[in-house]
Amino acid sequence: MKPSIPKGTRDFGPIEMARRNYIFSTIRSVFALYGYSQIETPAMENLSTLMGKYGEEGDKLLFKILNSGDFMKSVDPAMLENPDSLRITSKISEKGLRYDLTVPFARFVVQHRNELQMPFKRFQIQPVWRADRPQKGRYREFYQCDADVVGSDSLINEIELIQLVDEVFRRLRINIAIKLNNRKVLSGIAELIGAPEKLTDITVAIDKIDKIGIEKVNDELRERGLSEEAVSRIQPILEISGSTDERLSRLEEVLSGSEIGQLGIKELREVIDGVTSLGLNAVLELDVSLARGLNYYTGTIIEVKALDVAIGSITGGGRYDNLTGVFGMPGLSGVGISFGADRIYDVLNALDLYPAEAAFSTQVMFVNFGDAEAMASMKMLKEMRLAGIKGEIFPDKAKMKKQMGRADALGIPFVAIIGESEMAEGKLTLKNMATGEQSLLTPAEAVEAIKACVKQ
Amino acid sequence: MKPSIPKGTRDFGPIEMARRNYIFSTIRSVFALYGYSQIETPAMENLSTLMGKYGEEGDKLLFKILNSGDFMKSVDPAMLENPDSLRITSKISEKGLRYDLTVPFARFVVQHRNELQMPFKRFQIQPVWRADRPQKGRYREFYQCDADVVGSDSLINEIELIQLVDEVFRRLRINIAIKLNNRKVLSGIAELIGAPEKLTDITVAIDKIDKIGIEKVNDELRERGLSEEAVSRIQPILEISGSTDERLSRLEEVLSGSEIGQLGIKELREVIDGVTSLGLNAVLELDVSLARGLNYYTGTIIEVKALDVAIGSITGGGRYDNLTGVFGMPGLSGVGISFGADRIYDVLNALDLYPAEAAFSTQVMFVNFGDAEAMASMKMLKEMRLAGIKGEIFPDKAKMKKQMGRADALGIPFVAIIGESEMAEGKLTLKNMATGEQSLLTPAEAVEAIKACVKQ
């Protein structure tokens, strides 16, 4: 009888919302500070837009919307003799829920190409849906917060994005390391060992080095068909040590035979020099094993790790050269970053880093002693709200204990009491719930008292 | 080849988003000022939660999600011999997209009843989806902005909500009339004419009086089975005129035989007196023909009309006595209001009432003359961003005309120019795009100049 919600989805109550809004509004403010403007796309996209963009596995994880009306009439009766769900899906469903913000963004850019000013800098904060098996920290509905700039090859975009990431986490007070790599270095490595066609296998395997260690990565490289010689040539690269400068120089030597590898190192140097010279709050780490799984990236790769909590990457991104090619608009380069709101939420919870503003926001509750007192209270409350105070009045003439209990339970810091004597004087008794202190004040004085307390 | 989005859905670009955010953030601020706190519920609800809550027509307008995996295996082969889409739906779909925010809110209250502090005041701003035929002003995906308080019978809640509505439109600078009625008065009328079972027919018909006029309403009442005598008894009520006080007194006489009608008048008086004594920006109108179609309401009914634009109601709400009964939690009374964001957007567009803040937000663009200049620019930009200025740097060394063209097209009010002489001095040339005026300034001075200009 008790109603429930679909597995893998969540309700967010007032406290969770206040905390999530704090994260989103921090990210949103920094996006705006860096000149990104917001767009929104529909929750539903045509399946023709979504299918084939996330691999075969991704196609299965799309939530598909049943066509309206008599959808069965589009299914050939012959198809029903031996019903195949996959084939029937294409007959009874035309739309799906968005799986990420990247494909809808690419679709948006192509559809609105004539209205956009290039380079186009957009951010987007919206939920996405995936029919994944739910587990701890993995949901079927979750928010993504993406910023991308398309239509410019300049590495200034990378430098700006890294600064943006640094500023977001500085404001959230989360200590981070920003890991950096370049896909062209990975291509250089594949070229060096004479297996450029194995680039995907190599990156997928070495991406796991942090999780499974160098030995298991080697096993996986062998399983993926690399020769013993090739595996051994990868080793020194994965083990290069020293300062960032030393490692870049060493890498430059090792990859001296690869043009694309050299280009990757040049790009890394330029980004690192730029960011370093501008100054960074975060630790910046060159990580040659960083690949972020996706084949999608063609240049800079960025990943953010929280330093004080053991959790996967909390933000990631990189440069891609062909975002919109699949929609018939080739050659558009871009670079983007995606903040993992749910993991950032977990980190803030683990470290208890929420500021006072990320809590229930009502500042004062007026107690209700009866009709006349309530009317006098509402008049004062109106005046205080006009001065920016967030307040409410207990709507019913309940027992004092019950009314105070509400303020207590909700963490409302002040209670305003208006009885006969207060009414006669046009004043209110303001009670500070933390200290118990009470003062008889005019509404204007109460506004000042509440504002002064918030500032502390 | 050119990609598109499902009909009835929309993309929102930067300008539209800035305008929509202005509307949402205005509403959100006022909700908070009145002590409402935000919740969010999942886009997908179980169909068992949604079905049967919006009538037979509503069930058809729900977007249903196809079950994942081999969904056809749950369909009895016998069912496929003569496939009936409606019956098959229940086998292949368990979830649907939310149709409004009210049913998910009711589900939320019941599911989390033990965690909630009553009265529970929540607001919710999220999209909803309806498989309606798209037409001008009617979309398949649109936002609702709802505030409700449940767990209190007090009319103080109505008075507070009307003030809240008044404050939202005062801030948006839209002149409005707030129309008021009470469902109990409508019940009294049905009782008076001896046809209490015809209440729904009567309210549906007289709800249309503004659109089709009194004669056509009479025709509809006859069609709905009311006797000529009953129809004639309704007339004087619909035609009552005079001041609000006069009309209430006249109504009181006419409904003197109906207990529920008297109660409705008493409630109307109390709400009107309270609101009037607190003072209202809007015009307050008693409208006995106001029914808002929904059977759902049991007391106060509220509707808002824009005075300067011909458009349907832009906000509406009322009191209901049994929101959660259908989920097994009877007797919970509440009152709520729903802002029509899309219509408010249309009104603001028609009257061009957007403030400067509801536009592209970037305040300054740094021109890019080359690597050294760009690095110097980024250092100054960093300093200015720390002081709160929203800015960007043109990422490529493009022609001056192209760079200035971007600032112009995006409406960025200031351009910062850093050439050799500026670099040598550690200054920038700030150009005001509106006046053409240029000044050589330090970054700190530029911050002041930009902030001073925004204030004007």
Side-chain angles (χ1 to χ4, degrees), chain A residues 92-368:
Chain A
I92 63 176
S93 170
E94 282 169 3
K95 294 182 284 288
L97 295 180
R98 69 174 160 252
Y99 181 88
D100 69 2
L101 302 180
T102 306
V103 167
F105 172 53
R107 193 266 312 145
F108 179 96
V109 168
V110 176
Q111 194 174 329
H112 302 279
R113 60 206 292 176
N114 296 327
E115 306 145 40
L116 301 180
Q117 193 65 29
M118 292 293 173
F120 178 52
K121 298 170 78 174
R122 85 87 171 78
F123 77 87
Q124 194 168 354
I125 301 180
Q126 291 193 277
V128 302
W129 296 270
R130 297 181 185 179
D132 247 323
R133 189 181 301 274
Q135 58 184 55
K136 189 176 178 304
R138 194 206 277 161
Y139 305 100
R140 291 185 151 189
E141 173 180 64
F142 58 96
Y143 271 79
Q144 290 195 332
C145 310
D146 287 15
D148 289 80
V149 47
V150 292
S152 164
D153 293 326
S154 166
L155 293 173
I156 283 181
N157 298 300
E158 272 88 338
I159 296 171
E160 286 263 294
L161 271 180
I162 292 169
Q163 287 192 88
L164 181 158
V165 167
D166 190 50
E167 179 65 11
V168 165
F169 290 105
R170 189 185 71 81
R171 292 185 178 203
L172 293 174
R173 299 189 294 145
I174 297 177
N175 296 317
I176 55 159
I178 301 178
K179 294 180 169 195
L180 208 61
N181 196 11
N182 191 299
R183 185 56 169 252
K184 296 187 178 84
V185 169
L186 294 170
S187 301
I189 295 172
E191 216 174 82
L192 171 76
I193 61 174
E197 78 288 353
K198 291 283 181 197
L199 176 57
T200 305
D201 292 293
I202 295 173
T203 55
V204 169
I206 70 178
D207 196 22
K208 300 179 184 165
I209 196 164
D210 271 1
K211 281 187 202 148
I212 62 177
I214 205 160
E215 282 314 313
K216 291 223 167 117
V217 166
N218 288 341
D219 290 346
E220 186 161 337
L221 288 170
R222 285 178 202 111
E223 275 165 35
R224 286 173 178 269
L226 263 76
S227 69
E228 210 50 53
E229 197 211 328
V231 171
S232 68
R233 292 184 92 162
I234 292 178
Q235 300 315 298
I237 296 170
L238 297 182
E239 288 169 339
I240 287 173
S241 66
S243 71
T244 301
D245 255 0
E246 287 163 1
R247 289 160 70 207
L248 280 173
S249 301
R250 182 81 188 86
L251 207 54
E252 197 169 16
E253 288 165 32
V254 178
L255 293 178
S256 62
S258 161
E259 200 178 322
I260 192 160
Q262 294 296 320
L263 186 55
I265 290 164
K266 182 169 170 288
E267 290 186 4
L268 274 173
R269 274 224 175 87
E270 208 170 315
V271 171
I272 292 170
D273 285 353
V275 170
T276 308
S277 130
L278 289 166
L280 211 58
N281 208 52
V283 175
L284 189 67
E285 253 177 45
L286 173 66
D287 182 353
V288 189
S289 76
L290 182 66
R292 288 190 62 73
L294 300 169
N295 282 312
Y296 181 81
Y297 293 122
T298 52
T300 304
I301 304 174
I302 299 163
E303 194 167 277
V304 175
K305 295 272 285 182
L307 293 180
D308 306 323
V309 178
I311 196 168
S313 110
I314 57 178
T315 288
R319 176 169 290 274
Y320 39 82
D321 274 344
N322 199 8
L323 179 71
T324 51
V326 69
F327 295 120
M329 187 180 174
L332 192 71
S333 181
V335 54
I337 194 86
S338 182
F339 288 85
D342 286 300
R343 285 200 178 155
I344 292 172
Y345 180 77
D346 289 343
V347 171
L348 289 174
N349 281 335
L351 301 175
D352 195 16
L353 284 179
Y354 292 103
E357 75 203 64
F360 192 78
S361 74
T362 303
Q363 296 164 303
V364 63
M365 185 195 86
F366 278 73
V367 165
N368 185 339

Side-chain angles (χ1 to χ4, degrees), chain A residues 27-47:
Chain A
I27 296 174
R28 196 181 292 120
S29 303
V30 179
F31 282 165
L33 215 51
Y34 277 77
Y36 288 81
S37 42
Q38 191 169 12
I39 70 162
E40 281 190 3
T41 62
M44 297 185 285
E45 294 274 353
N46 292 319
L47 281 179

Side-chain angles (χ1 to χ4, degrees), chain B residues 360-364 407 411-415 431-434 450 453-454:
Chain B
F360 192 78
S361 74
T362 303
Q363 297 164 303
V364 63
I412 301 175
F414 291 94
V415 165
K431 177 171 179 174
N432 181 321
M433 293 293 280
I450 293 170
C453 183
V454 170

Side-chain angles (χ1 to χ4, degrees), chain B residues 362-375:
Chain B
T362 303
Q363 297 164 303
V364 63
M365 186 193 85
F366 278 72
V367 165
N368 185 339
F369 284 152
D371 291 347
E373 291 86 348
M375 187 46 67

